[in-house]
Amino acid sequence: MRINADTDRCIGAGMCVLTAPDVFDQSEDDGTVLVLEPEPPEARRAAVRRAVQVCPSGALSLS
Ligand code: SF4
């Protein structure tokens, strides 16, 4: 699993950080998403899938 984050689409809502705080953070500059673990381990993948689903801007995808 690899996480793709489109920072042009991200609106800084922070849902991903609330859902998977070990994997996502937000830029202190503009609040856009930072991916801390682009290839998350198995134990965190369920939370990552939820984060992709709850992102209101569709900025996150998986490959
Ligand atoms: S949930 Fe989506 S819009 Fe919100 S910070 Fe994360 S990637 Fe950006």
Side-chain angles (χ1 to χ4, degrees):
M1 172 191 281
R2 181 165 186 87
I3 302 169
N4 309 298
D6 183 346
T7 52
D8 288 337
R9 291 183 74 164
C10 174
I11 58 172
M15 294 301 292
C16 56
V17 182
L18 290 173
T19 307
D22 294 323
V23 179
F24 298 102
D25 201 353
Q26 285 176 272
S27 161
E28 290 185 10
D29 292 333
D30 57 8
T32 55
V33 65
L34 300 172
V35 182
L36 305 177
E37 276 194 308
E39 296 185 23
E42 182 67 42
R44 294 185 178 144
R45 290 180 190 172
V48 168
R49 288 192 182 91
R50 279 199 297 278
V52 171
Q53 289 173 347
V54 299
C55 173
S57 69
L60 301 175
S61 61
L62 302 175
S63 57

